[in-house]
Each structure stands twice: as structure tokens, then as C-alpha cells.
Amino acid sequence: MGLTLAEKIINEHIVVGEPVKGSEIGIKIDQTLTQDATGTMAYLQFEAMGLDRVKTELSVSYVDHNMLQTDFRNADDHAYLKSVAAKYGVYFSKPGNGICHQVHRERFGVPGKTLLGSDSHTPTGGGLGMISIGAGGLDVAVAMGGGPFFLTYPQIIGINLTGELQPFVNAKNVIFKILEILTVKGGVGKVLEYFGPGVKALSAGDRFAIANMGTEAGATTSIFPSDENTKRFFDAQGRGDVWVELSADEDAEYDEIIEIDLSALEPLVAEPGSPDNITHVKSLVGKKVVQVLIGTCTNSSYEDMMMVAKMLEGKKIHPGVDMGVAPGSKQVFQMIAESGGLGMIISSGSRILESACGFCIGMGQAPPTGGISLRTGNRNFPGRSGTQGDEIYLVSPEIAAASALAGEFVDPTTIEQVIKIEAPTQYTIDDSGIIPPIDDPSGVEILRGPNIKEVPVKDSLTDTIKSEVILKVGDNITTDHILPAGAKVLPFRSNIPAIAEFVYMNVDDTFAARAKAAGSGIIVGGTNYGQGSSREHAALAPMFLGIDALIVNSFARIHRANLINFGILPLLIDAADNDKIDQGDELEINDILSNLEFGNDFTVKNLTKGMEFTVKSDMTDLEKSILKAGGKLAYTRSLNQN
Ligand code: MIC
Ligand code: SF4
């Protein structure tokens, strides 16, 4: 039986375990990336390992999230990241150089390699034929130290593409269609692998947008073959030498197949609340729009920006619309300036925003109360924009530009205009925003501002947990619910005691105080708990507040790993038993150590209600050892002591 492309690359990188679906494997990581909002923790953890230099082929530290620099905090973090990069042999991409996923594919991605990034949209690299996976900062730190990345050998969903996209139907509609089918949890434990005759009709840029948002389906990663179009991209980036042709075997067998006819796709939109609230733009035509924002790691490429520029050329945006455009990288910014696109956008009346995550993560551009905001990003979780009760619609750049002109939703396929943007044959290459590693870092001093605090470590696991259910929440809780981002909170990403005060603040602002007062606690949740971001702070900060265990119907992959990394017990409960627990109930779990060791179910006593139920732990041997030690840092230290 032949292999899929994902299987080929994974198998070539296995260093622990066997290529058996559903079993735990450790893979060698060739490249890592970090961004500033997760990077400070990752490098603090790397420093704790006591190594002289990263052991990967390439590691890059990006500054793109925390860009406001409203006081010393962000600036201090950036200075720390720059100095730690110089010390340990890491490339440093300066603030303004662009969004990590955009710059990485432009300047560093290599087909067939593995990339681990402390950002959930790292799978964007799958557009180039890489196995690129998002993870918590601690896992990335371990990979920088040369350690394997552990994951469950994934199921592979084959996505058979046929046909060709119609004019003004952006490639983003492919992933919107898949999100409609899979929802935000249908991809958990799976890889989305694209194949079929339709692949060659998609440019490298199209593939990046699709791979980027596989994350929203919960997928471990997404991958495209590396073909002639990929080669064209590398040649145009002046990196043709790293290109290799890669594809699945002819007789590859997928665990599941989804058929998508590109020719039949129409412009879709994700309605407020969740990226899988998919509807047709036709059903929204005429609805008033007050804000339009174009950018983010999904849709901020040169091709996207030029499409917008050409659609706006010679026209003015509607007086009722506040519009902003954020080119994804310095390269994109420079090229739209050189080609005249920037002038077209400025003259239309749009604001020009910097090359950064910005509005996507609530760093400015919060929409007004009750106002509809159209954004080309990948996430519209409630309140992420910075406005509670926000109405964020995720759209393609084509819908965004057409609607900005009209002041209401427009179906771009009804516009009588033909615009086709070809991928450039030569990108403008200027790597002055990237500081390469130095040969002799002995003189480098690591700069630690006063906001940078040590990473807390939990005590080893106890045999009994007797705690109150501090919070009970429902399905699809995102890490934005658990620990919001935005301008108020992000500056504390390198200071766990300070950021812990914000845990669950938009769900229940008494959470932090109640958890601290209780001294220990349990959170109960529904399905797909912890979806979204890779931020390990969503595990670290609850741990700091005393949370010992999570009892939920199912977990999102990265968050579950982060909980284990920081010593919080992730337990699985049946939906029917879940219904019988209330917030405030006192629960007792005994014999934790032996049940964990032997893989037994755990009996949980509900002392308040006088009833019992069982929960599963579903843990691999390595996970058990990490948990028993009190988390991955403590576990790694214990290995070093033995
Ligand atoms: C996001 O899109 O939510 C983020 C901000 O990029 C996060 C990382 C973070 O929280 O720092 C992600 O996707 O992992
Ligand atoms: Fe940045 Fe948004 Fe992409 Fe996250 S999803 S990396 S915040 S642009």
C-alpha cells in the first residue's frame, strides 16, 4: 500500500515509536518558529535546559503580536527575545518585518522538512509541502534543544480537489467549505492532505490560506504536494535551490476522503462567534457594514493585497465604513508600494496598518457596539476583537473590498469587472528585517526587563484531589475564553503571576479571586475544550491559580498537551455524567497515582451531591511520567538529576 505525503514526511522523521495510526510517536523537528507572545516563555524554558545553542537546522524568533509598546513591557520582551536569539543561534525577525507565518514561508520554509511553532497557525507551512505543527512554547523549547516532538500518529483525511476556482472566489472558500463539513472539532487528531487534479489550479498563495485555516477545524496540520507551482514560488523568492518535488504515492490510502469541486464553490462567509458558522454571502447581501479589515496570516499576501488594490482603484470606500489594510510582511508592503497598489488603497480612503497581527488579536481596531465588522482573518471567537458582543464576519479579501465600497455585504461574483492577479515571478528580497545568528555569542548579555518573571513549576502530582468545581463551562471553549489576548493582557505574557489575574475574565470575572481563595480547584467543560490558540498561558496561569484538574467531554490537541506540560490532570467524562455536575460541587478523586500508572478509570465522588461517576485519563506512558513529576519542566529536571 502506498503512502500519503504526510505519512512519508512523518515516517522519515520518526525517532521514537512506530508508524502505527493512533500510537504515540516522537518526530525530529528540523525547524522551529516562535512569536513574541508565546516566545518569551519558550526561551525562558529553553534557557532552563542549560544548552549553549539550539540544535535545530533553523530556529526563528518573530515579533509580530505584541506590537503596541504602550509602556516598557512589550519593548523589554522584544529586547529579551533579540538578545536570547543572539545568544543561542536563533534568527530574529524584527517588529515590522511581518507576521511569522507570512515571513516564514517567504524566507525559510522548505518542502519535506518538519516545523514546530509556538503558534497554532504554524500549519500554514503545509502550503509548501512541510509538516508544520503548532504547539505550546515548552514543546518548542524542547525541540530547539534537539528533543523529539511527541504526537499521536494522525489519521489522514484526503481532500480530493477537482475543477478550478471561479473569478472572485478566493481559495479561502475551500477551507470555509471544509469547516462547514468538519466543524471546529472534526479535524482533531487528523491531518488534512490535499490531492487531485484541482491542486495544480491553486497557486502557492492559495494553498497557504487553505493550510492556515485547517487549524480552525482542529487539525494537527494540513499539507499540499510540492509541485511546479511550489517551485515557481521558491524561484520567485530566490530560493529555488531548496525546492524538491513531493507528492503522495499513486496508491496512497487515506483514512477518509472529502471531495471538493472548486468550480462549484461560491463565496462563503463565517458568521459571528465561530469560524465554522458558515453561510453563503448571498444570504447577507445588503446588510450594513461599518468596519472592514484586511490582513492577518490568512489573507495578507501580495496577491491578496493587489486584488484589493485593483478592486478599490479609482473608487472611494463608503462613508459609513472604517477600513484598514495590514500587509502581511515587509516584503508584501514594499511590493505593493513598488507596484502602485498601496497608492490605490490609500486613495480609496482606507487606513494603512502595520505588518503585524494587530486587529486579529484585539490589538486595536475594536469594532463599535452593534457594528458589523468584516475581517479577512481566521478567528471570530466572541470578544476576541476587543468588543464584547462583537459581530465579526470572516470573509475573503474580495468580499471585504467589494463590501467596503458599498457599505453593505456584496457578493463579489456579481461585480462586472475582471481582475486576475498573477503570482509574481520575482519577489522583492530584502532581509534587512532579519538578524541572523552570530558565530561567537560569548559576549552577548541577555536583557531581562522587570516584567519578565520566572516560569512557575508545579509540585509533583498528589494521590488525592479534593477540590471545588470553580467553574463549569460548555462546549468549544476557546483559549481566548480561558485567557484573552488584546492590548490589556498581552503585555503580561512573560509574567505569569500578573497574567493569571485575567483568567476567564470575560466569562466570570470572579474566577481568579475564587480560585486563589480556594487554593485548589477543578474546571468542568464540554467538548473540544481549549480550541484555538497554542498559548500555554491558558494552562500555566490556571495552574498558578491552583487548578489541579480539568474534567471535560473532549479536548483540543494543543491545549491538552499544554495542560499535561504544566501538571494539570486532563480527564474525560461522559456527557450524561457531566450534566449532573454543577459549579460549586465538591469533588474527590482518590488513588490518582496508581490509576494513572495502570491506565484505570478514575472514580470521582461528588461530595456535594452524594454520588459517584467515572472519568478516563487516556494518557500515554510519557504523559503519565510528565504529570506525575508535576509537568514537563520538573520531569526534564528529574531526568537530568538521575
Ligand atoms: C492566535 O491567533 O490566537 C494567536 C494569538 O496567534 C495564538 C498565539 C498566542 O496566543 O500568542 C495562536 O494562534 O496560537
Ligand atoms: Fe497573528 Fe492572527 Fe495569525 Fe494568530 S491568527 S498568528 S494573531 S495574524
Side-chain angles (χ1 to χ4, degrees), residues 302 305-306 309-310 313 332-347:
Y302 171 78
M305 293 292 142
M306 285 310 291
K310 291 277 181 195
E313 187 175 9
V332 174
F333 220 143
Q334 200 165 327
M335 287 180 68
I336 61 171
E338 286 161 1
S339 64
L342 184 59
M344 296 170 200
I345 298 172
I346 294 173
S347 142

Side-chain angles (χ1 to χ4, degrees), residues 269 281-292 311-312 316-323 371-374 393 395-412 414-415:
V269 165
V281 72
K282 269 187 200 148
S283 66
L284 299 165
V285 165
K287 213 171 171 152
K288 189 174 166 216
V289 165
V290 303
Q291 189 187 48
V292 174
M311 288 178 75
L312 298 180
K316 299 290 172 204
I317 59 172
H318 189 275
V321 173
D322 181 5
M323 180 173 180
I372 289 185
S373 174
L374 268 49
Y393 289 74
V395 300
S396 64
E398 290 81 353
I399 295 178
S403 305
L405 291 170
E408 56 188 39
F409 272 97
V410 171
D411 176 353
T414 60
I415 302 173

Side-chain angles (χ1 to χ4, degrees), residues 35 37-38 65 119-121 361 379 384 493 533-535:
Q35 41 90 339
T38 54
H65 280 64
D119 190 281
S120 67
H121 289 101
I361 194 190
R379 286 187 176 146
R384 178 174 160 102
R493 282 290 182 95
S533 151
S534 66
R535 65 190 73 142

Side-chain angles (χ1 to χ4, degrees), residues 507-535:
V507 174
D508 175 348
D509 62 8
T510 66
F511 177 87
R514 290 191 298 110
K516 267 199 287 190
S520 70
I522 294 174
I523 297 173
V524 176
T527 55
N528 200 25
Y529 183 89
Q531 66 160 330
S533 151
S534 66
R535 65 190 73 142

Side-chain angles (χ1 to χ4, degrees), residues 132-174:
S132 43
I133 302 179
L138 180 48
D139 285 330
V140 175
V142 169
M144 287 192 285
F149 173 65
F150 288 91
L151 74 161
T152 306
Y153 198 106
Q155 299 274 312
I156 316 288
I157 306 187
I159 314 234
N160 186 17
L161 300 177
T162 51
E164 207 171 315
L165 291 169
Q166 300 300 303
F168 289 118
V169 179
N170 191 282
K172 189 174 201 169
N173 293 292
V174 175

